[in-house]
Amino acid sequence: MHIKEMKATFIAAMALMASVLITACSEKDDFIPEPTPTSVIVTGTVTTSSGKPLADIPVSIDYEETSYLGPHTTIHKAKGKTDSNGRYRLFFEPEGKKSPDGSDPGQSYNLSADLSGLPADEFIMPGDFDKNRESTYRLNIYRLFAQGENIDIPLCFPEKKEIKTDLKNFVADKSVVVSNTIQFGAQKETIRRDLDLDARGNGSVMIPAAIEETNRISVAPANSLEDLSEPLEFTVRKGDDSPVVFDNRDALEACRFKLSLYSFMSFNGKEYDNKSLYSAPAPFDFLGFRITEPDGTFKPLDIKRYNYYDSIVWSSPEFPETLKIYQRENTGSLSVEKFTSQWGSYFFNTGFHKTLLKGYRNGRVICADSVSFELKDRDFLCFIWDECKNISKPGNVQGIYCQLDGTNEYRVSPPVDIDGTKMTDIDIRIRGNLDKKTLLNWQQARLGNLLSRHLGKRVEYDKETIRSVFKHLSPDDEPGALYENAGTRAIVMHRLPSDYEDEYFYIHAESK
């Protein structure tokens, strides 16, 4: 096809489309000079909120009929103006239900009022709700009228005053929507204004308010219907200039919290019998934490206090992972909350540690608290050999897992006493998919690092005589790096693979 032929075909297609659109959308007049016994009569009064009549307001009724992928028909049924008392009276013959092809078209009536004769700076206009509406008010009536039906539809168009709305301490939100719901026309309508807040959660916006009418102003996050604060209802007078203030300070204070370290236990989860010997926690002790009110009051079931947040997260700068002790999730129309008021974990290294508790809403930290503590070595890690009373049979292994570290899991054998020597074994597992060689190298390095932190420098030794230094080394395992202090010897051992057990590294420690 030549270019000229293609151009002619395109023009013809566009002309056909235009003719289809013209055919699909039609409108016509169907006015009657006087009402008949079958006519519908619609009456009403157009006033301000104080009852002042509004004269010479053009009022009309149209009938709308639409079909899916079919024609759209508008029939102008009646028109008139309000009199000096604000009264209007419209009459027309009702349309019937139509289904020529077996499917009912969409049918409705549209009551309109032209407010262009009112000063826009003195009256609330349809354009205040939606700029596309400009000055024409429309009320859609989604039903058909019966013959001879009389209906009264009063319309209220309030006088306007711009009111300043101040927001304070809405630190969880960057953008909000301030809304004012008022009586407008025949029903309630809502004016909305967007507002960007500063870093402190403060901001101001001017919003139209109805004079001598109840205004209901509310604040919601952008793209959400959830109110951030209790709505305020008030009546505006012409001389009122006081701003409407929403202060979120009370809500912030009501949900504040404190992080508390409330106890520490031996590695097997039991309280120490003689707490005077354990005035400070040690590595491999189990540390318990709580979320409390700011004054330290602990209420384990007080979940309502925290539902201002999306989540409350516990973390430590030392560890890669976090623990959510509170989480609120919205699934459709349901809001599901999960809450843990107290929890605990293990820490493996001496020195000062810091844990953080942060409450988040909309990605912002609303409240935060921290707890710092020092872990001090005893004879070895959390053990004081002379005070070890939890003596178990060999082979009983205690798993120890730090909730803030998703890769490490130690297994610590409770200390046993054989011929006057107390001992324990420690190995480490990793969560993940590492190849065998990488896993073994990682185990060996991690265990060596653990001993260097707690027993000082590595000690050189004669491998031929090492089994005489330790009383209970496994004869089938290979000895590695040795560390010791005044009361403990500890050595990294290599367990070779067998038909019954995988290859791995572990620590064997004995009291001197």
Side-chain angles (χ1 to χ4, degrees):
M1 183 180 291
H2 294 294
I3 295 178
K4 289 184 178 180
E5 293 175 338
M6 293 176 62
K7 184 175 181 180
T9 301
F10 175 75
I11 293 174
M14 293 300 294
L16 177 61
M17 184 179 295
S19 66
V20 169
L21 290 174
I22 292 172
T23 304
C25 301
S26 64
E27 60 180 290
K28 61 181 179 180
D29 295 339
D30 186 24
F31 303 123
I32 57 176
E34 295 292 338
T36 70
T38 59
S39 296
V40 176
I41 299 178
V42 179
T43 58
T45 304
V46 180
T47 65
T48 64
S49 299
S50 61
K52 176 184 175 182
L54 297 175
D56 296 323
I57 301 295
V59 184
S60 61
I61 283 186
D62 296 331
Y63 169 78
E64 306 280 346
E65 187 176 293
T66 59
S67 297
Y68 180 67
L69 296 180
H72 177 92
T73 302
T74 300
I75 302 176
H76 305 297
K77 303 295 290 186
K79 61 181 179 180
K81 282 188 176 183
T82 58
D83 61 18
S84 59
N85 295 316
R87 294 287 300 174
Y88 70 89
R89 182 172 181 264
L90 303 173
F91 46 85
F92 55 90
E93 294 301 317
E95 296 292 325
K97 195 169 187 179
K98 302 176 182 180
S99 54
D101 59 353
S103 61
D104 295 336
Q107 296 172 275
S108 64
Y109 287 91
N110 189 315
L111 174 64
S112 300
D114 183 358
L115 306 181
S116 60
L118 299 176
D121 58 339
E122 297 180 14
F123 282 83
I124 292 180
M125 303 297 284
D128 289 319
F129 301 90
D130 181 353
K131 61 182 180 181
N132 295 323
R133 291 168 59 180
E134 297 180 349
S135 60
T136 301
Y137 169 80
R138 291 182 175 86
L139 174 67
N140 292 316
I141 304 170
Y142 293 101
R143 72 177 183 87
L144 296 179
F145 292 110
Q147 291 185 347
E149 184 174 354
N150 293 315
I151 184 171
D152 188 71
I153 304 178
L155 301 175
C156 174
F157 299 112
E159 294 178 277
K160 176 167 64 178
K161 185 175 185 63
E162 294 282 343
I163 294 293
K164 183 182 180 184
T165 301
D166 289 335
L167 270 64
K168 299 179 180 180
N169 301 303
F170 284 83
V171 294
D173 301 279
K174 297 179 181 178
S175 299
V176 298
V177 177
V178 179
S179 302
N180 186 16
T181 301
I182 60 172
Q183 182 70 32
F184 187 75
Q187 56 197 7
K188 297 283 188 180
E189 292 202 35
T190 301
I191 301 171
R192 294 177 174 85
R193 295 291 182 267
D194 296 331
L195 173 60
D196 292 330
L197 302 175
D198 63 22
R200 296 183 178 181
N202 302 330
S204 299
V205 67
M206 302 298 292
I207 192 166
I211 295 176
E212 303 296 338
E213 177 65 76
T214 298
N215 295 263
R216 187 178 188 270
I217 295 187
S218 59
V219 180
N223 304 316
S224 174
L225 298 177
E226 177 189 6
D227 284 340
L228 293 174
S229 182
E230 285 293 325
L232 298 178
E233 290 191 357
F234 57 94
T235 301
V236 174
R237 312 297 178 190
K238 283 190 175 182
D240 290 345
D241 291 313
S242 300
V244 178
V245 179
F246 289 87
D247 194 336
N248 200 48
R249 182 179 299 276
D250 289 345
L252 294 179
E253 291 298 324
C255 69
R256 293 199 178 278
F257 54 75
K258 179 181 179 181
L259 175 61
S260 171
L261 173 62
Y262 73 94
S263 72
F264 57 93
M265 308 172 184
S266 63
F267 73 91
N268 59 4
K270 295 181 179 181
E271 292 282 359
Y272 286 109
D273 294 331
N274 188 350
K275 292 187 178 181
S276 63
L277 294 174
Y278 307 95
S279 57
F284 281 81
D285 278 342
F286 183 82
L287 276 65
F289 298 87
R290 284 175 174 170
I291 183 172
T292 71
E293 295 183 10
D295 63 358
T297 302
F298 176 56
K299 295 181 179 179
L301 302 179
D302 191 12
I303 191 171
K304 289 184 178 180
R305 180 177 183 85
Y306 307 112
N307 58 23
Y308 179 80
Y309 301 100
D310 298 325
S311 64
I312 301 176
V313 178
W314 184 58
S315 64
S316 172
E318 299 176 61
F319 294 104
E321 296 197 354
T322 61
L323 177 67
K324 289 185 178 180
I325 66 141
Y326 173 83
Q327 186 171 14
R328 176 166 53 86
E329 296 179 336
N330 294 320
T331 56
S333 60
L334 297 177
S335 180
V336 179
E337 294 178 287
K338 299 177 182 179
F339 178 53
T340 301
S341 60
Q342 60 183 23
W343 63 98
S345 191
Y346 299 92
F347 294 81
F348 308 126
N349 296 322
T350 54
F352 285 95
H353 296 256
K354 183 177 183 180
T355 63
L356 307 171
L357 194 61
K358 297 179 180 180
Y360 291 87
R361 183 180 172 97
N362 295 332
R364 289 191 170 188
V365 177
I366 308 305
C367 179
D369 194 27
S370 64
V371 163
S372 296
F373 50 90
E374 184 181 9
L375 299 184
K376 295 183 177 180
D377 274 324
R378 296 172 186 150
D379 288 339
F380 174 60
L381 298 173
C382 62
F383 301 103
I384 297 180
W385 295 122
D386 291 341
E387 296 295 326
C388 286
K389 297 181 180 181
N390 299 312
I391 305 300
S392 304
K393 294 180 180 179
N396 185 8
V397 176
Q398 171 73 38
I400 293 179
Y401 174 59
C402 175
Q403 294 196 67
L404 292 177
D405 191 337
T407 59
N408 303 337
E409 184 173 358
Y410 291 91
R411 295 194 304 172
V412 182
S413 298
V416 295
D417 190 333
I418 300 178
D419 299 331
T421 299
K422 293 182 179 180
M423 71 193 78
T424 187
D425 289 342
I426 299 172
D427 63 55
I428 183 173
R429 294 292 184 260
I430 182 170
R431 296 169 181 262
N433 297 317
L434 296 180
D435 63 83
K436 188 66 175 180
K437 183 179 180 179
T438 302
L439 173 59
L440 290 172
N441 289 337
W442 184 88
Q443 286 179 333
Q444 186 178 24
R446 184 75 181 182
L447 294 173
N449 180 64
L450 186 69
L451 292 181
S452 67
R453 283 177 173 269
H454 298 280
L455 292 177
K457 294 183 179 180
R458 182 174 172 175
V459 178
E460 298 296 330
Y461 65 93
D462 184 351
K463 288 190 177 181
E464 298 296 327
T465 61
I466 190 63
R467 296 187 187 278
S468 63
V469 176
F470 283 88
K471 304 293 179 60
H472 301 284
L473 283 184
S474 170
D476 299 323
D477 299 337
E478 294 180 348
L482 169 66
Y483 299 79
E484 65 180 8
N485 62 16
T488 303
R489 293 186 184 94
I491 189 169
V492 177
M493 299 292 289
H494 184 192
R495 174 68 50 87
L496 298 176
S498 68
D499 294 338
Y500 307 102
E501 196 168 14
D502 290 335
E503 180 181 9
Y504 66 95
F505 287 89
Y506 68 97
I507 291 172
H508 176 77
E510 292 184 6
S511 62
K512 288 185 176 181

